[in-house]
Amino acid sequence: MTNPPARSVPERAPESAPEPVAVIGPEITYAECRQCGTLIAGLDGRYSCGVCGWVNHHSEGHRLLPRAEDDTGRAPGDSDDNRLG
């Protein structure tokens, strides 16, 4: 009798690369206007009502706002003519 050919089975599975972390963009959120009760949508908890004009303070948002210095889409040397101060 002949023995079947031996299979080579790795003793340990190779370690896989870590899964990439998903970059989450702005999230559309919904709330009632605090002034007139209209259902409004906003980005990351920042709202403005188109019916009565109410807006919440930017600090009430769910995440920090990006800084102008972090904007990678700006061409180097672009002037900041719209900056106050």
Side-chain angles (χ1 to χ4, degrees), residues 74-78:
R74 279 184 11 192
D78 274 357

Side-chain angles (χ1 to χ4, degrees), residues 29-84:
T29 53
Y30 299 90
E32 278 190 13
C33 172
R34 293 181 195 159
Q35 187 167 314
C36 71
T38 302
L39 180 64
I40 53 179
L43 288 177
D44 293 330
R46 293 179 177 89
Y47 304 104
S48 105
C49 180
V51 176
C52 70
W54 172 84
V55 295
N56 69 333
H57 193 264
H58 68 85
S59 66
E60 295 179 39
H62 299 163
R63 67 178 85 193
L64 293 175
L65 291 169
R67 301 176 324 148
E69 292 79 13
D70 299 333
D71 185 2
T72 59
R74 279 184 11 192
D78 274 357
S79 65
D80 286 336
D81 294 335
N82 64 347
R83 287 187 92 103
L84 297 175

Side-chain angles (χ1 to χ4, degrees), residues 8-43:
S8 63
V9 177
E11 292 180 19
R12 208 163 79 173
E15 292 185 27
S16 61
E19 301 244 351
V21 177
V23 176
I24 300 172
E27 180 183 358
I28 297 175
T29 53
Y30 299 90
E32 278 190 13
C33 172
R34 293 181 195 159
Q35 187 167 314
C36 71
T38 302
L39 180 64
I40 53 179
L43 288 177

